[in-house]
Amino acid sequence: MRMTAAVMYEQGLPAPFAQSRPFRIEEVELEGPGEGEVLVEIRGAGLCHSDLSVVEGLRKRPLPIVGGHEGAGIVREVGRGVTECQPGDHVAMAAVAGCGKCRTCVSGRPGLCQAVSGARNEGLLATGARRLRLLDGGRLNHYSGISVYAQYAVVVPQALVKLPKDVPFDVGALFGCAVVTGAGAVFNSAKVRQGASVAVIGLGGVGLTAVMAAREAGASKIIGIDVLPGKFDLARAVGATDCVDARDPHVVQQVLDLTDGGVDFAFEVSGNLSALEMAQKITVRGGEVVGVGLGKATATFTVAHLPWVAEEKVLRGSMMGGGVPQDDIPRYADLYLRGRLPVDRLRSDHIGFDQLNEGFDLLHGGGVVRQILLPHGA
Ligand SMILES: [Zn+2]
Ligand SMILES: [Zn+2]
């Protein structure tokens, strides 16, 4: 079928993106669904910081590519052999679909599956197929096996999680990345316990979800840290007990004072190396630094050897929530519907394709949390 999509031909174009236009809005061809594939009509897609880092070229992707890895929609058609879903189902789309068979998938960690990451890095679906095509017949790649900056997507059923129909699409879109990543970091990776103290560095969609999840887990102190104090009101409204300006030269001391020597868990969500350094300094002896934000592919950081051992600090990576989206997302959707994970608060604006590049300027400026692209208009 022919559909409208946002195609990236080049990474690393400079801001302002409204001028350099990393995404070209154009008609493309979508084929399928083939065997073991599903056609989804996209009803909402989030603009995430990792999309921004792909725009900026921090991690290389095969080009041209249709962007977007966080979305929700309606199943319209299933290919042969698909039993997991049927036309009419409402679904969130998760980029961490595993193969379901390898060692890491069987152990409940599909986000670490290497069998599908190869195909994903080559711009293919997990089936090895490429269903997107440019109108002139040229090759067009899938992003994260999903590509939701489009009116439709063909994906494997492992990338879909059924949503209750009372979750609106513009909220459901957030479950596949922001919510699963932020809540999973707290519930699955760190296993934050009742009464623990928590800091969250970077109050975007993922960070604010981590704040909500920490509150749900019963954390006694939840300190939100960001370079933009404009985000603090929202952070407090969803569970932060304290907020600290990351640019304050005494930020580390402030957190130590607030927590009698440091937090039990410091979540680094911004993907920034100096923030990761700060996370190590604000963590109490025996505490945990949880890295959630993805950095540059070549970046490295140092850990002071002696204190790491002698203070029994844990450095933990958490990739997209470290769980199984098919198990976790229904639980988070239930928490949302009961008002305990108010992720609808993350929505900033609804935008159309014509505002997508500008939307990345706003995300780059940091003043917005989650803008939602509506590929079929309002
Ligand atoms: Zn994301
Ligand atoms: Zn696997």
Side-chain angles (χ1 to χ4, degrees):
M1 73 165 82
R2 196 164 281 202
M3 63 164 185
T4 304
V7 182
M8 181 187 289
Y9 287 89
E10 200 180 334
Q11 290 182 274
L13 290 175
F17 305 122
Q19 273 154 40
S20 62
R21 294 180 63 219
F23 287 106
R24 306 279 156 159
I25 310 307
E26 57 188 54
E27 300 279 292
V28 303
E29 282 289 342
L30 180 68
E31 289 163 357
E35 184 171 359
E37 296 167 359
V38 181
L39 173 71
V40 181
E41 178 184 340
I42 308 299
R43 303 300 306 186
L47 275 63
C48 170
H49 265 275
S50 41
D51 297 309
L52 178 61
S53 59
V54 169
V55 167
E56 291 172 326
L58 266 53
R59 291 179 297 281
K60 293 291 167 213
R61 289 289 178 265
L63 301 170
I65 194 164
V66 173
H69 66 279
E70 176 185 272
I74 309 170
V75 171
R76 288 303 182 200
E77 203 182 325
V78 301
R80 203 151 51 85
V82 173
T83 54
E84 293 89 339
C85 57
Q86 52 191 10
D89 283 349
H90 290 195
V91 287
M93 306 170 79
V96 289
C99 70
K101 295 177 213 123
C102 73
R103 177 175 163 188
T104 50
C105 283
V106 168
S107 70
R109 305 176 83 177
L112 306 183
C113 176
Q114 283 206 302
V116 297
S117 68
R120 197 184 300 153
N121 292 340
E122 286 171 49
L124 304 170
L125 298 180
T127 55
R130 183 181 280 113
R131 299 299 181 197
L132 290 163
R133 208 158 23 85
L134 294 171
L135 281 195
D136 64 7
R139 168 185 288 207
L140 182 56
N141 292 294
H142 297 265
Y143 177 50
S144 286
I146 293 191
S147 289
V148 287
Y149 294 164
Q151 292 181 309
Y152 294 87
V154 168
V155 301
V156 297
Q158 290 81 7
L160 301 175
V161 183
K162 241 186 257 188
L163 280 177
K165 289 198 172 159
D166 38 1
V167 176
F169 292 116
D170 61 347
V171 176
L174 305 170
F175 280 83
C177 177
V179 176
V180 91
T181 305
V186 169
F187 295 135
N188 298 329
S189 303
K191 298 182 175 64
V192 170
R193 54 193 180 270
Q194 181 107 22
S197 54
V198 165
V200 177
I201 308 172
L203 299 172
V206 175
L208 288 168
T209 305
V211 167
M212 296 176 202
R215 177 171 68 177
E216 175 63 19
S220 59
K221 273 249 178 252
I222 305 169
I223 304 171
I225 305 175
D226 201 285
V227 292
L228 295 171
K231 293 178 172 176
F232 292 169
D233 281 347
L234 180 54
R236 286 198 183 91
V238 299
T241 55
D242 303 89
C243 288
V244 179
D245 188 335
R247 295 164 308 176
D248 186 316
H250 307 296
V251 53
V252 171
Q253 194 56 47
Q254 279 193 62
V255 177
L256 299 185
D257 291 346
L258 281 166
T259 51
D260 190 23
V263 292
D264 296 308
F265 299 95
F267 294 89
E268 201 307 289
V269 187
S270 70
N272 185 301
L273 279 179
S274 58
L276 194 56
E277 209 167 286
M278 183 206 300
Q280 296 186 51
K281 290 182 187 155
I282 62 174
T283 305
V284 74
R285 291 170 159 254
E288 247 183 77
V289 174
V290 186
V292 182
L294 291 172
K296 205 171 170 176
T298 52
T300 57
F301 66 99
T302 52
V303 177
H305 191 163
L306 179 64
W308 172 55
V309 176
E311 298 177 9
E312 296 195 356
K313 287 206 182 169
V314 177
L315 280 177
R316 185 186 299 283
S318 177
M319 179 59 182
M320 294 206 72
V324 180
Q326 278 72 13
D327 297 339
D328 294 345
I329 289 178
R331 213 166 59 236
Y332 303 154
D334 181 58
L335 285 173
Y336 159 69
L337 289 171
R338 288 191 286 140
R340 287 165 59 177
L341 209 63
V343 292
D344 53 320
R345 301 290 301 267
L346 305 176
R347 287 175 303 184
S348 305
D349 261 313
H350 295 136
I351 63 171
F353 277 117
D354 53 337
Q355 295 156 291
L356 185 64
N357 287 309
E358 271 174 277
F360 278 98
D361 282 323
L362 293 176
L363 190 62
H364 188 244
V368 292
V369 181
R370 265 307 196 265
Q371 304 168 90
I372 309 289
L373 169 72
L374 302 179
H376 297 271

